[in-house]
């Protein structure tokens, strides 16, 4: 029995949804900017999981995998830039508390 | 095609540009450039006078090219210059007076650079007005001349200079608006009647004065247009009751500007009537002639009487201008050969004598720092040469034979008598009043015992003599031999006179 | 000599050259030796010699009607004909006309002028502006000669005004004296009033002569001058001229033109009512008074009337006669009480000019002109004599004089001769000329008895003349010195440049009229009918007669104002009527003339002797007391002393109202005409203030209101914008959820 038969698509999607929810929760609940970045990573990975799962189960080719690899790549770049911004914020404000950063307040 | 008129018109402008490039403190250079760029047009206008062909009926030295052309609207504005017997003497007069004005302003200390730049711009404007043969171009130059005049009075003037400058500017601008409306009237008339007048030619003054074209300008509408144009020009002449800007402007303006103002600017009004109103709208002119004669009469007598009451020397001279310009109006209204010649010649002669008078007033103001007639007295002791020249100028202005004003005024009176008897007789009383105020003034300023406070007053200096003597010489020369100037005018004036005369007969 | 035009040219231009040289040297500060007196004197002296030659030539020629003309095309009104050629429409050439009248004037002007120049060398010697004085004399001589030589009315007017200028300069020569400064202005302006009249007269004549000339292209340029004497006379004597319909003048055009033309003479020859300038002009140096205000310039009016005699209709002449007659007696009454020696002479001049004009007005064309000739010499002599007295005594007041004949014998003799001449004692020149005038007046009055007042004016004037002139002589030279101090310091006479001209003038006074009864005729022959009235011609109705006479005696019976000119031809019934009785009428006229002249001669001698005797018994033998007469005839005396209040009258009714009018017009100009302009400006300013307020409040209010609304709503909205990223995220998630839910619910 292959892996495909043992676990239907829904399982993957549930894991993915859980990951996404965790990621959102981290983003909304955590004050630390670095922690929030981690939340973002979670969300991205939940998306990756969906891509691969749908590709495997419904499309049948590897286009989803390719997307996933792109996203991983971009996530790496994004993380680098975001961390740079965080460091910049830290240097300017001496803190990385997202609540304190209300410069856009109208 | 000779470009002499363009040169005469734009050399001063070139001079202005050069002056603008010079540093502000290089006063001698600025003056030198001014002298040069007024002397050149003077030399050219003298050669214009010498090359002028007296017997020729049309325009001479014509330059013509399109300036603005919008075929869709059938609009064409030409850069068309040319002179005839009416305008050529005035070009010469402008050349002479601008040149002398530079010397008369030699000792200006405030803002020398700006002053001379504006003076040169003014000359371009004046020359352009007298040379242009396109209504639009005429209008442009007419306005160009206003601006420097405004600043020259407003910045370098006397105590009430702002008031005088604004009054002058607004008053003249008011007249210009009426001119603009008249100009548009011709354009739209052409658009409606393209078979009579091609709209492309609607601004061409020569074309407008063509016998076939001007015949279509009849009826009430064109009488209204004539009156609008007349008011526009009357303000410049100035004709009673539009004359009150003149005394203010004269009194406040610096000497050289008064000279230009009286010598050239006032002539533009009469010139406008001779170049535009009479030849283009002869029918309306014939209709309006009695009013014009009456206004001329009022100018002569009223101006003289008010001049007699003045206490300020310069104001008296200003009102005498009002009085003398009345003769031009009477002459044009009478519309006989002699009267027209008188009117046209009066422009030139009055230009010379009034320039002299204002220069003389300037001389005494520089020394005494006031102009109150009754506070002078016995100046003939300290300033014999000045007294002599003033006698000449006064005598010329009150119409003594042998001096040029007599010829022009006598011609006006001789020519007008047949047309307007009573008017002419009453106008002739102007010569008594003229003698009255000039001699009374002379008595109070120069005669009587010498006054202590003027005992150190120096006589005229070389620079002042340099401005006065050429004018005095011309005044005498043209009084003795007026044909030198009159013969150039005859044929052109005859054209104007014929136009109005035929309209009179036709009506 | 006569044919050459060089001589008149030289006579004219030499003084001008002297003037120009003086002016140039003055301007250049070059010093002329003797301040240039020799220059002016030489110029006019040469002119005098040349004039005398011309005069002699003309007399010896025996050709009384010689005319020499010459002209230069000074001013032409040209026009281009259909043939493309330039034609002269009309022209105003400047030309000379040399005939007998001109030559007489030339001699008078140049000789008197020369003698005055010489006299001035002594009289003005110490004046700081000595050179300038001579240059002014030269410009005067030039102007006067121009006036005399001109061959047309326009040229005459030019000379006329130029002598006015010279007179102005010379009266105001001592400009530091306020009285002189006022006098020269008064002279010029009064003359201008007269000139205005003359100008109008000329214009009226022009409107008659111009029309035939304008369109006739065949005429040569000399005849294109509408104002040449020739053309004017031709048109006038033709008897018909165009008078415009709807004329503003209801009476005869020519009469009015003549009267206006005569107004010029009223001004220049100081006739009532424009005589006021002449006495004031005595503020000028005495030689000037002699030259200009006695002998030459003031005679210009008389010259003009003589020259233009043909233009005057009988009505115009009547006007002239009354003006002259009244002036003659009016001025004489003022002269009677004057105490200033020059004022006496000034009023005497006015009176004598009145005589000349009276003579001319009573058809004595040669009589009036003759008196001009003789008067020029003896009046110049009287003025120069008074100048000598003033020079010696440094006073002009006759009350400070007396007994001067011992100190100034030459002057006394010369002045006595002149006094006898002006009073009309035979056989001096004044007698002959005055007799001719009075004869003409008497003839006129005998033929027209309604004008009997004219000879009364004439004879009374003559009597008064004798009276006041002898009064002058007695008060000045006879009796005892009234101011011994001044008398002691007076310079006695000697033969020098001051007395020599007096002697020359005395000789001229004695002999200028010919001296004997037969010799007296020469002037009448020289300035004869043909000179003044034009050549004889075939008269209508046969015979040879002057058109002028026919016109006057036939068509214009004196006293009636002529409504219209009538053609003088045989068809005219009046002419035909006249032709029948013409011979008888002529005989009768000659008879009357003869009788009148005999009576005039007797009467004039009687009044002259009578006047002189009364004067003698008043001032030498105190038989009549002037004081008693003054109190007895107080009103008369008052009027005489106050010059009949003419100056006051002018001041009160002309000058003051004029000044008031000027001031009124000035304030009218400033308050109303300019006030209207300023009011317009003020109104514009107020209006723009108001519209500015409207603009700020309402128009701009709308714009600002829109902006304000947006701002306030934006302010409300901005509270959402917390800047907290987590809130944004939460909002996004909630939003997303809502969208998803709604999506599912709706679909």
């Amino acid at each position: 029995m292959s892996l495909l038969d043992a676990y239907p698509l829904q399982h993957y999607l549930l894991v993915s949804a859980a990951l996404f929810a965790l990621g959102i929760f981290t983003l909304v609940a955590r004050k630390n900017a670095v922690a929030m970045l981690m939340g973002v990573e979670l969300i991205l990975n939940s998306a990756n999981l969906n891509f691969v799962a749908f590709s495997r189960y419904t499309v049948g080719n590897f286009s989803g995998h390719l997307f996933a690899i792109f996203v991983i790549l971009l996530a790496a770049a994004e993380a680098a830039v975001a961390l740079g911004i965080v460091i910049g914020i830290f240097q300017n404000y001496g803190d990385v508390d997202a609540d304190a950063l209300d410069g856009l307040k109208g | 095609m000779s470009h002499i008129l363009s040169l005469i018109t734009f050399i001063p402008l070139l001079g202005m540009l050069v002056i603008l490039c010079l540093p502000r403190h290089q006063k001698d250079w600025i003056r030198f450039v001014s002298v040069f760029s007024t002397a050149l047009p003077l030399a050219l206008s003298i050669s214009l006078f010498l090359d002028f062909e007296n017997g020729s009926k049309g325009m001479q030295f014509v330059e013509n090219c399109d300036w603005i052309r919008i075929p869709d609207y059938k609009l064409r504005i030409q850069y068309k210059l040319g002179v005839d017997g009416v305008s050529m003497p005035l070009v010469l007069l402008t050349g002479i007076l601008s040149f002398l004005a530079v010397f008369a302003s030699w000792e200006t200390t405030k803002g020398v650079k700006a002053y001379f730049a504006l003076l040169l711009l003014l000359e371009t404007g004046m020359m352009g007005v007298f040379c242009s043969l396109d209504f639009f171009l005429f209008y442009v130059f007419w306005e160009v001349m206003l601006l420097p005049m405004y600043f020259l009075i407003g910045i370098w003037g006397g105590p009430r200079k702002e008031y005088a400058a604004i009054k002058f500017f607004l008053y003249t601008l008011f007249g210009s608006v009426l001119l603009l409306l008249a100009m548009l009237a011709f354009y739209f008339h052409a658009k409606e009647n393209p078979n009579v007048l091609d709209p492309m030619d609607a601004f061409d003054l020569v074309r407008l004065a063509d016998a076939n074209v001007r015949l279509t300008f009849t009826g009430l509408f064109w009488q209204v247009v004539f009156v609008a144009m007349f008011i526009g020009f009357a303000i410049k002449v100035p004709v009673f009751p539009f004359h009150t800007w003149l005394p203010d402007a004269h009194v406040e303006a610096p000497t050289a500007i008064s000279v230009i103002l009286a010598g050239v600017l006032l002539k533009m009004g009469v010139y406008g009537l001779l170049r535009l109103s009479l030849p283009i709208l002869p029918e309306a002119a014939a209709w309006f002639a009695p009013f014009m004669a009456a206004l001329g009469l009022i100018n002569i007598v009223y101006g003289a009487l008010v001049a007699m009451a003045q206490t300020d020397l310069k104001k008296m001279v200003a009102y005498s201008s009002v009085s003398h310009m009345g003769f031009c109006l009477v002459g044009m209204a009478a519309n006989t050969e002699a009267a027209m010649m008188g009117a046209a010649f009066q422009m030139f002669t009055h230009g010379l004598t009034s320039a002299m008078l204002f220069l003389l007033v300037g001389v005494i103001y520089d020394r005494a720092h006031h102009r109150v007639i009754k506070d002078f007295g016995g100046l003939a002791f300290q300033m014999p040469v000045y007294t002599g020249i003033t006698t000449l100028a006064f005598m010329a202005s009150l119409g003594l034979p042998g001096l040029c004003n007599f010829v022009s005024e006598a011609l006006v009176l001789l020519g007008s008598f047949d047309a307007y008897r009573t008017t002419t007789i009453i106008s002739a009383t102007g010569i008594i009043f003229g003698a009255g105020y000039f001699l009374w003034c002379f008595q109070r300023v120069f005669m009587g015992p010498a006054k202590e406070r003027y005992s150190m007053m120096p006589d005229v200096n070389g620079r002042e003599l340099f401005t006065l003597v050429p004018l005095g010489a011309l005044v005498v020369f043209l009084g003795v031999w007026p044909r030198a100037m009159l013969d150039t005018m005859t044929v052109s004036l005859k054209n104007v006179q014929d136009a109005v005369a035929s309209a009179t007969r036709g009506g | 000599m006569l044919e050459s035009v060089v001589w008149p040219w030289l006579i004219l231009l030499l003084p001008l050259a002297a003037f120009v040289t003086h002016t140039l040297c003055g301007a250049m500060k070059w010093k002329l030796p003797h301040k240039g007196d020799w220059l002016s004197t030489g110029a006019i002296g040469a002119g005098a010699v040349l004039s005398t030659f011309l005069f002699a030539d003309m007399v010896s020629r025996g050709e009384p009607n010689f005319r020499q003309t010459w002209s230069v095309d000074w001013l032409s009104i040209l026009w281009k004909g259909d043939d493309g050629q330039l034609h002269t429409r009309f022209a105003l050439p400047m030309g000379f006309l040399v005939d007998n009248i001109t030559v007489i004037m030339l001699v008078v002007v140049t000789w008197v002028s020369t003698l005055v120049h010489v006299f001035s060398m002594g009289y003005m010697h110490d004046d700081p502006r000595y050179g300038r004085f001579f240059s002014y004399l030269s410009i005067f001589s030039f102007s006067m000669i121009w006036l005399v030589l001109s061959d047309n009315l326009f040229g005459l007017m030019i000379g006329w005004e130029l002598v006015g200028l010279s007179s102005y300069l010379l009266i105001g020569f001592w400009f530091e004296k306020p009285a002189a400064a006022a006098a020269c202005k008064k002279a010029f302006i009064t003359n201008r009033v007269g000139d205005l009249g003359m100008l109008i007269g000329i214009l009226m004549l022009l409107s008659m002569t111009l029309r035939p000339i304008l369109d006739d292209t065949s005429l040569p340029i000399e005849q294109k001058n509408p104002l040449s004497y020739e053309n004017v006379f031709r048109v006038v004597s033709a008897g018909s001229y165009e008078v415009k319909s709807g004329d503003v003048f209801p009476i005869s055009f020519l009469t009015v033109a003549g009267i206006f033309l005569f107004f010029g003479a009223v001004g220049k020859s100081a006739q009532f009512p424009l005589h006021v300038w002449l006495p004031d002009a005595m503020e000028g140096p005495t030689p000037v008074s002699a030259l200009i205000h006695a002998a030459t310039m003031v005679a210009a009016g008389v010259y003009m009337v003589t020259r233009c005699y043909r233009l005057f209709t009988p009505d115009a002449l009547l006007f002239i006669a009354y003006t002259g007659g009244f002036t003659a007696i009016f001025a004489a009454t003022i002269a009677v009480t004057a105490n200033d020696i020059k004022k006496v002479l000034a009023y005497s001049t006015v009176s004598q000019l009145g005589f000349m004009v009276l003579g001319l007005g009573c058809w004595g064309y040669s009589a009036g002109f003759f008196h001009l000739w003789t008067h020029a010499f003896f009046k110049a002599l009287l003025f120069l004599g008074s100048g000598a007295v003033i020079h010696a005594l440094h006073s002009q007041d006759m009350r400070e004089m007396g007994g001067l004949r011992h100190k100034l014998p030459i002057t006394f003799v010369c002045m006595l001769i002149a006094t006898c001449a002006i009073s009309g004692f035979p056989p001096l020149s004044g007698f002959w000329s005055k007799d001719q005038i009075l004869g003409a007046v008497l003839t006129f009055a005998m033929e027209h008895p309604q004008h009997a007042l004219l000879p009364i004016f004439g004879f009374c004037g003559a009597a008064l003349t004798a009276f006041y002139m002898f009064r002058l002589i007695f008060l000045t030279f006879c009796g005892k010195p009234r101011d011994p101090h001044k008398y002691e310091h007076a310079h006695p006479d000697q033969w020098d440049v001051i007395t020599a001209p007096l002697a020359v003038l005395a000789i001229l006074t004695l002999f200028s009229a010919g001296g004997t009864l037969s010799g007296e005729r020469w002037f009448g022959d020289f300035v004869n009918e043909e000179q003044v009235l034009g050549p004889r011609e075939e008269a209508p109705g046969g015979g040879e007669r002057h058109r002028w006479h026919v016109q006057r005696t036939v068509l214009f019976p004196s006293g009636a104002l002529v409504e219209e000119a009538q053609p003088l031809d045989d068809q005219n019934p009046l002419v035909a009527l006249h032709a029948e009785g013409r011979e008888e009428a002529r005989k009768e006229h000659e008879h009357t003339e003869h009788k009148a002249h005999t009576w005039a001669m007797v009467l004039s001698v009687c009044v002259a002797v009578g006047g002189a005797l009364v004067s003698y018994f008043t001032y030498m033998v105190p038989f009549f007391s002037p004081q008693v007469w003054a109190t007895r005839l107080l009103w008369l005396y008052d009027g005489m002393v106050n010059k009949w209040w003419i100056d006051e009258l002018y001041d009160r009714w002309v000058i003051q109202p004029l000044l008031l009018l000027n001031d009124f017009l000035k304030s009218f100009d400033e308050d109303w005409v300019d006030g209207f302009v300023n009011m317009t400006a003020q109104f514009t300013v107020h209006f723009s203030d108001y519209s500015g307020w409207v603009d700020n409040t309402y128009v701009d209010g709308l714009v600002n209101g829109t902006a304000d609304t947006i701002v306030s709503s934006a302010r409300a909205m901005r509270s959402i914008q917390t800047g907290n990223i987590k809130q944004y995220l939460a909002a996004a998630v909630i939003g997303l959820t809502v969208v998803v839910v709604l999506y599912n619910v709706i679909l």
Side-chain angles (χ1 to χ4, degrees), chain B residues 55 163 167 243-244 302 305 308 319 337 398-399 401 418 421 428 431 442-443 448-449 480 483 490, chain C residues 73-74 77-78 80 89 161 168 175-176 185 188 192 196 200 203 207 211 244 247 662 668-669 674 678:
Chain B
Y163 170 74
K167 192 169 175 179
H243 65 279
T244 52
Y302 180 86
L305 290 177
M308 220 185 289
Y319 274 103
E337 291 93 347
L398 63 81
D418 243 9
R421 257 179 210 163
I431 65 171
F442 193 82
Q443 180 196 352
V480 175
R483 288 193 66 176
T490 313
Chain C
D73 187 10
W74 183 67
I77 309 295
L78 301 168
K80 203 166 197 174
R89 198 97 154 105
E161 298 258 334
Y168 173 78
F175 55 79
E176 63 271 27
K185 179 191 65 179
F188 198 96
R192 268 270 158 132
L196 172 69
I200 295 170
L203 289 175
S207 70
R211 218 155 295 178
K244 262 183 140 179
D247 206 30
N662 292 342
F668 171 76
D669 200 63
D674 202 26
N678 285 336

Side-chain angles (χ1 to χ4, degrees), chain B residues 59-192:
Chain B
M59 293 292 165
Q60 302 184 31
F61 307 100
V62 176
E63 291 171 44
N64 195 357
C65 65
D66 282 359
W67 179 29
I68 299 172
R69 193 188 175 96
I70 310 175
D72 292 348
Y73 292 101
K74 294 252 173 225
L75 179 81
R76 183 179 63 153
I77 295 162
Q78 302 174 82
Y79 174 76
K80 187 172 184 185
L81 303 182
V83 288
D84 66 353
V86 181
S87 47
M88 192 276 297
L90 294 170
V91 170
L92 182 62
L93 181 71
T94 311
I96 296 169
L97 293 185
S98 304
F99 179 66
L100 296 181
V102 171
F103 287 93
S105 2
W106 203 255
E107 273 155 28
T108 309
T109 46
K110 176 176 157 189
V112 176
K113 179 173 163 178
Y115 180 89
F116 282 103
L118 287 168
L119 194 63
L120 292 177
L121 180 62
L122 183 65
E123 189 183 0
T124 293
M126 296 185 298
M127 288 292 193
V129 166
F130 292 132
C131 292
S132 23
L133 290 180
D134 185 278
F135 204 153
F136 197 91
L137 195 65
F138 176 90
Y139 186 79
V140 168
F141 281 119
W142 183 276
E143 300 289 305
V144 162
M145 170 206 76
L146 270 187
L147 196 79
M149 205 64 191
Y150 171 73
F151 287 114
L152 285 168
I153 298 175
I155 298 176
W156 287 271
R160 292 173 77 220
K161 57 193 177 190
E162 289 89 356
Y163 170 74
I166 290 175
K167 192 169 175 179
F168 163 79
F169 191 83
L170 289 184
Y171 223 138
T172 322
L173 208 61
F174 171 66
S176 310
V177 171
L178 294 172
L179 271 186
L180 185 67
L181 290 177
M183 186 164 87
L184 294 178
F186 288 113
Y187 175 65
F188 286 109
H189 176 77
K191 280 202 120 173
E192 280 170 26

